[in-house]
Amino acid sequence: MSNWSEMDTYAKQWIKEAGKKVRESFQTELNIQTKSNRNDLVTNIDKETEQFFIEKIRAVYPNHKILGEEGFGDELESLDGIVWIIDPIDGTMNFVHQQRNFAISIGVYENGTGILGYIYDVVHDELYHGQKGKGAYMNDYALPKLEAVKVENAVIALNALWVTENRKIDPSILAPLVRDVRATRSYGSAALEMAFVASGRLDAYLTMRLAPWDIAGGKVLIEEVGGVVTDLKGNELNLLNKSSLLVGKPRLHNRILYDYLNKG
């Protein structure tokens, strides 16, 4: 039987410690590299933060598996057992350019089910956290259950790139949604955008392509407050693969899914 309370205490302690180190790095010179393309940035802080978490987890929970963005964890073919899914800095471009709008994101899964979720807005010292069946919180504030909202009253997050010509989705599909909602936003950090849906600051968020570590923590939080998390076809997410993502308040998720994305 897993001691989730103990695990939660450790996770929060490590996240706060890592966040302090990240804030202190603002005064140092970053070593910035690119990954898949010139806009896919990674810094020494991303790498050091992931290694920090791995060192802590391995010391206390040597039998747990780790899936991390920077590749210092395990190579997984399944989510059997207990798996920590870690994004050491989600929103690296914001971290580099703004020193704002980035987060540490961690999800702890047992046999594929999300049990613990964390998204830490490092700069604002806001830790969104939740445990399956026990609700979600922002710091010590219990997040209320999400209430339904009409499309025309909704503020949704999406990248403007997806409304321009691209190979992932016909822009004519998203254009009516953008026109019908009250407003759109883009923060450049999937983790923060999911945290904002969980806390009611946003009503929905959609994107064409994310990795498991972008989603794992936020999925736990959103489901704990009654939100819905699927891909753009309405399917359950596979947290071993990249996926599209649609998260939203109840009813609004379905409206976007069937009245816009999969109309007819």
Side-chain angles (χ1 to χ4, degrees), residues 215-244:
I215 302 168
K219 184 175 188 293
V220 176
L221 299 177
I222 289 170
E223 291 178 343
E224 278 304 298
V225 291
V228 186
V229 183
T230 68
D231 69 10
L232 295 187
K233 295 292 186 182
N235 301 315
E236 278 282 324
L237 301 179
N238 180 343
L239 287 178
L240 288 175
N241 299 314
K242 290 185 176 181
S243 173
S244 61

mmCIF file of all heavy atoms in Angstrom, residues 215-244:
data_model
loop_
_atom_site.group_PDB
_atom_site.id
_atom_site.type_symbol
_atom_site.label_atom_id
_atom_site.label_comp_id
_atom_site.label_asym_id
_atom_site.label_seq_id
_atom_site.Cartn_x
_atom_site.Cartn_y
_atom_site.Cartn_z
ATOM 1 N N ILE A 215 1.403 17.354 -19.521
ATOM 2 C CA ILE A 215 0.003 17.106 -19.192
ATOM 3 C C ILE A 215 -0.196 16.449 -17.835
ATOM 4 O O ILE A 215 -1.205 16.677 -17.167
ATOM 5 C CB ILE A 215 -0.612 16.189 -20.279
ATOM 6 C CG1 ILE A 215 -0.494 16.831 -21.667
ATOM 7 C CG2 ILE A 215 -2.054 15.835 -19.958
ATOM 8 C CD1 ILE A 215 -0.818 15.869 -22.810
ATOM 9 N N ALA A 216 0.755 15.639 -17.390
ATOM 10 C CA ALA A 216 0.525 14.677 -16.295
ATOM 11 C C ALA A 216 0.046 15.331 -15.005
ATOM 12 O O ALA A 216 -0.908 14.857 -14.380
ATOM 13 C CB ALA A 216 1.799 13.871 -16.042
ATOM 14 N N GLY A 217 0.693 16.398 -14.577
ATOM 15 C CA GLY A 217 0.290 17.048 -13.329
ATOM 16 C C GLY A 217 -1.069 17.712 -13.453
ATOM 17 O O GLY A 217 -1.939 17.570 -12.589
ATOM 18 N N GLY A 218 -1.264 18.439 -14.554
ATOM 19 C CA GLY A 218 -2.506 19.176 -14.742
ATOM 20 C C GLY A 218 -3.724 18.288 -14.875
ATOM 21 O O GLY A 218 -4.826 18.659 -14.448
ATOM 22 N N LYS A 219 -3.555 17.119 -15.450
ATOM 23 C CA LYS A 219 -4.688 16.198 -15.614
ATOM 24 C C LYS A 219 -5.289 15.831 -14.260
ATOM 25 O O LYS A 219 -6.515 15.816 -14.095
ATOM 26 C CB LYS A 219 -4.237 14.937 -16.354
ATOM 27 C CG LYS A 219 -5.345 13.945 -16.667
ATOM 28 C CD LYS A 219 -4.813 12.788 -17.511
ATOM 29 C CE LYS A 219 -5.933 11.869 -18.000
ATOM 30 N NZ LYS A 219 -6.591 11.137 -16.915
ATOM 31 N N VAL A 220 -4.434 15.542 -13.295
ATOM 32 C CA VAL A 220 -4.916 15.205 -11.951
ATOM 33 C C VAL A 220 -5.702 16.377 -11.363
ATOM 34 O O VAL A 220 -6.805 16.204 -10.830
ATOM 35 C CB VAL A 220 -3.739 14.828 -11.026
ATOM 36 C CG1 VAL A 220 -4.230 14.582 -9.600
ATOM 37 C CG2 VAL A 220 -3.002 13.601 -11.553
ATOM 38 N N LEU A 221 -5.146 17.583 -11.480
ATOM 39 C CA LEU A 221 -5.784 18.760 -10.881
ATOM 40 C C LEU A 221 -7.149 19.029 -11.494
ATOM 41 O O LEU A 221 -8.135 19.262 -10.786
ATOM 42 C CB LEU A 221 -4.894 19.989 -11.086
ATOM 43 C CG LEU A 221 -3.498 19.952 -10.470
ATOM 44 C CD1 LEU A 221 -2.737 21.211 -10.827
ATOM 45 C CD2 LEU A 221 -3.581 19.781 -8.960
ATOM 46 N N ILE A 222 -7.216 19.013 -12.828
ATOM 47 C CA ILE A 222 -8.461 19.363 -13.515
ATOM 48 C C ILE A 222 -9.557 18.346 -13.209
ATOM 49 O O ILE A 222 -10.714 18.710 -12.970
ATOM 50 C CB ILE A 222 -8.213 19.497 -15.027
ATOM 51 C CG1 ILE A 222 -7.393 20.767 -15.290
ATOM 52 C CG2 ILE A 222 -9.523 19.536 -15.809
ATOM 53 C CD1 ILE A 222 -6.891 20.896 -16.695
ATOM 54 N N GLU A 223 -9.207 17.078 -13.199
ATOM 55 C CA GLU A 223 -10.222 16.058 -12.917
ATOM 56 C C GLU A 223 -10.706 16.131 -11.473
ATOM 57 O O GLU A 223 -11.867 15.807 -11.187
ATOM 58 C CB GLU A 223 -9.680 14.678 -13.258
ATOM 59 C CG GLU A 223 -9.501 14.507 -14.769
ATOM 60 C CD GLU A 223 -8.913 13.171 -15.194
ATOM 61 O OE1 GLU A 223 -8.334 12.479 -14.333
ATOM 62 O OE2 GLU A 223 -9.026 12.853 -16.390
ATOM 63 N N GLU A 224 -9.864 16.592 -10.556
ATOM 64 C CA GLU A 224 -10.274 16.719 -9.161
ATOM 65 C C GLU A 224 -11.300 17.826 -8.936
ATOM 66 O O GLU A 224 -12.020 17.825 -7.938
ATOM 67 C CB GLU A 224 -9.059 16.939 -8.251
ATOM 68 C CG GLU A 224 -8.335 15.677 -7.877
ATOM 69 C CD GLU A 224 -9.257 14.651 -7.224
ATOM 70 O OE1 GLU A 224 -9.806 14.944 -6.146
ATOM 71 O OE2 GLU A 224 -9.455 13.568 -7.801
ATOM 72 N N VAL A 225 -11.353 18.805 -9.855
ATOM 73 C CA VAL A 225 -12.348 19.878 -9.707
ATOM 74 C C VAL A 225 -13.494 19.721 -10.704
ATOM 75 O O VAL A 225 -14.284 20.639 -10.922
ATOM 76 C CB VAL A 225 -11.699 21.278 -9.833
ATOM 77 C CG1 VAL A 225 -10.802 21.552 -8.638
ATOM 78 C CG2 VAL A 225 -10.918 21.422 -11.135
ATOM 79 N N GLY A 226 -13.587 18.535 -11.328
ATOM 80 C CA GLY A 226 -14.725 18.234 -12.177
ATOM 81 C C GLY A 226 -14.561 18.612 -13.629
ATOM 82 O O GLY A 226 -15.533 18.558 -14.401
ATOM 83 N N GLY A 227 -13.349 18.995 -14.035
ATOM 84 C CA GLY A 227 -13.090 19.300 -15.428
ATOM 85 C C GLY A 227 -12.873 18.034 -16.240
ATOM 86 O O GLY A 227 -12.780 16.932 -15.694
ATOM 87 N N VAL A 228 -12.795 18.212 -17.558
ATOM 88 C CA VAL A 228 -12.675 17.074 -18.468
ATOM 89 C C VAL A 228 -11.379 17.195 -19.261
ATOM 90 O O VAL A 228 -11.028 18.286 -19.734
ATOM 91 C CB VAL A 228 -13.870 17.009 -19.442
ATOM 92 C CG1 VAL A 228 -13.804 15.745 -20.293
ATOM 93 C CG2 VAL A 228 -15.191 17.051 -18.673
ATOM 94 N N VAL A 229 -10.664 16.089 -19.405
ATOM 95 C CA VAL A 229 -9.371 16.053 -20.091
ATOM 96 C C VAL A 229 -9.400 14.946 -21.141
ATOM 97 O O VAL A 229 -9.542 13.765 -20.802
ATOM 98 C CB VAL A 229 -8.218 15.780 -19.098
ATOM 99 C CG1 VAL A 229 -6.870 15.815 -19.819
ATOM 100 C CG2 VAL A 229 -8.235 16.779 -17.952
ATOM 101 N N THR A 230 -9.276 15.316 -22.425
ATOM 102 C CA THR A 230 -9.215 14.334 -23.514
ATOM 103 C C THR A 230 -8.286 14.867 -24.596
ATOM 104 O O THR A 230 -7.762 15.970 -24.494
ATOM 105 C CB THR A 230 -10.606 14.098 -24.161
ATOM 106 O OG1 THR A 230 -11.007 15.301 -24.851
ATOM 107 C CG2 THR A 230 -11.654 13.724 -23.136
ATOM 108 N N ASP A 231 -8.137 14.084 -25.666
ATOM 109 C CA ASP A 231 -7.507 14.641 -26.853
ATOM 110 C C ASP A 231 -8.586 15.347 -27.680
ATOM 111 O O ASP A 231 -9.751 15.437 -27.269
ATOM 112 C CB ASP A 231 -6.749 13.566 -27.654
ATOM 113 C CG ASP A 231 -7.658 12.536 -28.327
ATOM 114 O OD1 ASP A 231 -8.895 12.735 -28.353
ATOM 115 O OD2 ASP A 231 -7.130 11.543 -28.845
ATOM 116 N N LEU A 232 -8.226 15.868 -28.847
ATOM 117 C CA LEU A 232 -9.172 16.657 -29.631
ATOM 118 C C LEU A 232 -10.257 15.814 -30.296
ATOM 119 O O LEU A 232 -11.190 16.358 -30.890
ATOM 120 C CB LEU A 232 -8.431 17.477 -30.699
ATOM 121 C CG LEU A 232 -7.489 18.564 -30.167
ATOM 122 C CD1 LEU A 232 -6.954 19.403 -31.308
ATOM 123 C CD2 LEU A 232 -8.167 19.451 -29.131
ATOM 124 N N LYS A 233 -10.144 14.495 -30.200
ATOM 125 C CA LYS A 233 -11.185 13.604 -30.707
ATOM 126 C C LYS A 233 -12.079 13.090 -29.578
ATOM 127 O O LYS A 233 -13.020 12.331 -29.809
ATOM 128 C CB LYS A 233 -10.560 12.415 -31.452
ATOM 129 C CG LYS A 233 -9.804 12.795 -32.709
ATOM 130 C CD LYS A 233 -10.747 13.313 -33.788
ATOM 131 C CE LYS A 233 -10.001 13.558 -35.089
ATOM 132 N NZ LYS A 233 -10.913 14.115 -36.134
ATOM 133 N N GLY A 234 -11.767 13.468 -28.354
ATOM 134 C CA GLY A 234 -12.541 13.005 -27.212
ATOM 135 C C GLY A 234 -12.041 11.724 -26.593
ATOM 136 O O GLY A 234 -12.692 11.156 -25.723
ATOM 137 N N ASN A 235 -10.856 11.272 -27.014
ATOM 138 C CA ASN A 235 -10.293 10.028 -26.495
ATOM 139 C C ASN A 235 -9.508 10.256 -25.214
ATOM 140 O O ASN A 235 -8.964 11.336 -24.988
ATOM 141 C CB ASN A 235 -9.357 9.400 -27.536
ATOM 142 C CG ASN A 235 -10.067 9.093 -28.839
ATOM 143 O OD1 ASN A 235 -11.160 8.560 -28.839
ATOM 144 N ND2 ASN A 235 -9.434 9.449 -29.952
ATOM 145 N N GLU A 236 -9.414 9.206 -24.411
ATOM 146 C CA GLU A 236 -8.531 9.217 -23.237
ATOM 147 C C GLU A 236 -7.088 9.440 -23.690
ATOM 148 O O GLU A 236 -6.693 8.990 -24.772
ATOM 149 C CB GLU A 236 -8.624 7.888 -22.490
ATOM 150 C CG GLU A 236 -9.797 7.786 -21.548
ATOM 151 C CD GLU A 236 -9.559 8.525 -20.242
ATOM 152 O OE1 GLU A 236 -8.411 8.541 -19.741
ATOM 153 O OE2 GLU A 236 -10.525 9.096 -19.730
ATOM 154 N N LEU A 237 -6.306 10.095 -22.854
ATOM 155 C CA LEU A 237 -4.913 10.358 -23.211
ATOM 156 C C LEU A 237 -4.040 9.143 -22.927
ATOM 157 O O LEU A 237 -4.250 8.430 -21.948
ATOM 158 C CB LEU A 237 -4.385 11.550 -22.415
ATOM 159 C CG LEU A 237 -5.135 12.872 -22.599
ATOM 160 C CD1 LEU A 237 -4.494 13.939 -21.731
ATOM 161 C CD2 LEU A 237 -5.151 13.308 -24.054
ATOM 162 N N ASN A 238 -3.048 8.939 -23.779
ATOM 163 C CA ASN A 238 -2.019 7.929 -23.549
ATOM 164 C C ASN A 238 -0.763 8.670 -23.101
ATOM 165 O O ASN A 238 -0.128 9.364 -23.896
ATOM 166 C CB ASN A 238 -1.751 7.147 -24.828
ATOM 167 C CG ASN A 238 -0.684 6.075 -24.644
ATOM 168 O OD1 ASN A 238 0.087 6.098 -23.678
ATOM 169 N ND2 ASN A 238 -0.625 5.125 -25.559
ATOM 170 N N LEU A 239 -0.416 8.525 -21.827
ATOM 171 C CA LEU A 239 0.682 9.316 -21.280
ATOM 172 C C LEU A 239 2.058 8.719 -21.546
ATOM 173 O O LEU A 239 3.034 9.075 -20.888
ATOM 174 C CB LEU A 239 0.467 9.533 -19.785
ATOM 175 C CG LEU A 239 -0.664 10.528 -19.474
ATOM 176 C CD1 LEU A 239 -0.865 10.660 -17.983
ATOM 177 C CD2 LEU A 239 -0.398 11.892 -20.091
ATOM 178 N N LEU A 240 2.132 7.850 -22.535
ATOM 179 C CA LEU A 240 3.435 7.408 -23.021
ATOM 180 C C LEU A 240 3.753 8.039 -24.377
ATOM 181 O O LEU A 240 4.868 7.899 -24.885
ATOM 182 C CB LEU A 240 3.488 5.885 -23.147
ATOM 183 C CG LEU A 240 3.540 5.112 -21.831
ATOM 184 C CD1 LEU A 240 3.457 3.615 -22.106
ATOM 185 C CD2 LEU A 240 4.802 5.445 -21.040
ATOM 186 N N ASN A 241 2.774 8.748 -24.949
ATOM 187 C CA ASN A 241 2.948 9.311 -26.291
ATOM 188 C C ASN A 241 2.553 10.776 -26.323
ATOM 189 O O ASN A 241 1.824 11.261 -25.444
ATOM 190 C CB ASN A 241 2.073 8.548 -27.307
ATOM 191 C CG ASN A 241 2.436 7.090 -27.386
ATOM 192 O OD1 ASN A 241 3.603 6.739 -27.469
ATOM 193 N ND2 ASN A 241 1.422 6.222 -27.339
ATOM 194 N N LYS A 242 3.016 11.473 -27.367
ATOM 195 C CA LYS A 242 2.555 12.835 -27.587
ATOM 196 C C LYS A 242 1.097 12.803 -28.016
ATOM 197 O O LYS A 242 0.624 11.834 -28.602
ATOM 198 C CB LYS A 242 3.412 13.528 -28.646
ATOM 199 C CG LYS A 242 4.821 13.832 -28.161
ATOM 200 C CD LYS A 242 5.604 14.636 -29.181
ATOM 201 C CE LYS A 242 6.978 14.998 -28.622
ATOM 202 N NZ LYS A 242 7.779 15.798 -29.577
ATOM 203 N N SER A 243 0.387 13.891 -27.722
ATOM 204 C CA SER A 243 -1.052 13.895 -27.965
ATOM 205 C C SER A 243 -1.555 15.316 -28.140
ATOM 206 O O SER A 243 -0.946 16.273 -27.643
ATOM 207 C CB SER A 243 -1.769 13.245 -26.771
ATOM 208 O OG SER A 243 -3.160 13.354 -26.880
ATOM 209 N N SER A 244 -2.686 15.448 -28.841
ATOM 210 C CA SER A 244 -3.422 16.707 -28.786
ATOM 211 C C SER A 244 -4.123 16.772 -27.433
ATOM 212 O O SER A 244 -4.174 15.776 -26.693
ATOM 213 C CB SER A 244 -4.438 16.781 -29.929
ATOM 214 O OG SER A 244 -5.382 15.727 -29.827
#
